[in-house]
Amino acid sequence: KWIDTEKIETLKNIDKVFDGVDGIIIPGGFGYRGIEGKILSSKYARENKIPFLGICLGLQCAVIDFARNVCSLKDANSKEFNEKVKYPVVDIMSKQKSVKVKGASMRLGGYPCKLQNGSKVKKAYRKNKINERHRHRYEVNNKYLNILEKNGLVISGLNTELNLVEIIELKNHPWFVGVQFHPELKSRVLKPNPLFKDFLAASVNYYDQK
């Protein structure tokens, strides 16, 4: 079910929009169009315990939602959408600003990620360390990690070489995962990325329990 996030930005009640939905994916993308609707979609999945997978921009929308609505950072946003935002929970990290090759400040190609013990993603991958492909400029702002983690956001995947957040999860939620990389880029028809398999399994389980 395709949902036009621009159209839900002004709705007072979005229950009907998500009626019959057993899992929500926010894919990657660029630009401000439909962003507030994407943030609302993350909030809906979080509050209603619906399985959620945020990919690249989807992770960033989930972090913005969490910062605004759980951490009480009401004006939280990404500097991609608001250069003068009070709480830039998503920003271009200082080390990335100086990069002049490989798409300028974009983080492109494969990067390693260390998975946290006991996390949903480690259970999915069955590995301690993975390598996934990236295509993005903005990152979770490390300045806000303390308040995000204090309020229950789990940093379940970390690029230890660059000290950048790669994966987030939520406590007390059946399956809520956001990844900064693009799992679809290494996924194949006969060998899908483990995250897609686990997300679908969680969605089926959500349907069965309704």
Side-chain angles (χ1 to χ4, degrees):
K1 180 178 179 179
W2 292 97
I3 294 173
D4 187 338
T5 54
E6 281 187 290
K7 292 182 178 179
I8 68 174
E9 291 178 344
T10 57
L11 296 179
K12 293 183 180 180
N13 188 331
I14 60 175
D15 287 337
K16 289 185 178 180
V17 176
F18 289 101
D19 183 42
V21 171
D22 303 310
I24 296 173
I25 294 181
I26 300 179
F30 294 90
Y32 188 77
R33 184 177 175 183
I35 284 299
E36 289 300 324
K38 292 181 175 72
I39 295 169
L40 282 172
S41 300
S42 169
K43 181 174 183 286
Y44 191 86
R46 177 175 56 78
E47 293 181 342
N48 291 278
K49 308 295 186 183
I50 300 174
F52 173 88
L53 175 60
I55 298 173
C56 197
L57 180 63
L59 170 141
Q60 295 170 10
C61 289
V63 170
I64 294 169
D65 157 48
F66 193 85
R68 287 180 183 178
N69 300 301
V70 179
C71 302
S72 299
L73 302 176
K74 298 300 181 184
D75 297 320
N77 212 330
S78 167
K79 275 202 173 182
E80 180 180 3
F81 314 132
N82 182 355
E83 186 64 31
K84 298 180 179 180
V85 61
K86 184 176 181 180
Y87 303 114
V89 293
V90 178
D91 196 1
I92 296 179
M93 296 292 94
S94 57
K95 290 183 180 179
Q96 285 297 110
K97 292 178 182 178
S98 63
V99 177
K100 303 299 181 184
V101 296
K102 294 185 73 176
S105 58
M106 287 192 76
R107 196 148 65 100
L108 296 171
Y111 285 85
C113 172
K114 184 179 179 181
L115 305 182
Q116 185 183 105
N117 290 332
S119 64
K120 291 180 175 64
V121 289
K122 185 169 182 179
K123 182 180 178 181
Y125 278 101
R126 299 181 182 179
K127 296 179 181 179
N128 294 319
K129 195 172 184 180
I130 59 172
N131 190 294
E132 294 283 7
R133 291 173 60 187
H134 294 66
R135 183 179 176 80
H136 65 97
R137 284 188 172 88
Y138 290 82
E139 313 278 356
V140 177
N141 192 337
N142 291 340
K143 293 179 181 178
Y144 293 91
L145 291 188
N146 285 340
I147 189 171
L148 291 169
E149 290 184 293
K150 183 179 178 180
N151 282 277
L153 192 75
V154 178
I155 308 302
S156 57
L158 188 69
N159 182 318
T160 56
E161 296 176 8
L162 300 175
N163 192 30
L164 294 174
V165 173
E166 297 284 17
I167 311 174
I168 60 106
E169 297 182 12
L170 286 185
K171 294 179 180 178
N172 304 316
H173 191 288
W175 208 92
F176 191 108
V177 174
V179 297
Q180 187 59 77
F181 50 82
H182 287 264
E184 73 276 13
L185 294 179
K186 293 175 71 173
S187 199
R188 298 293 182 265
V189 174
L190 298 180
K191 192 177 180 181
N193 186 284
L195 294 179
F196 293 128
K197 293 171 67 176
D198 260 32
F199 169 74
L200 289 172
S203 298
V204 169
N205 187 56
Y206 177 86
Y207 171 82
D208 289 340
Q209 292 184 356
K210 285 196 297 186

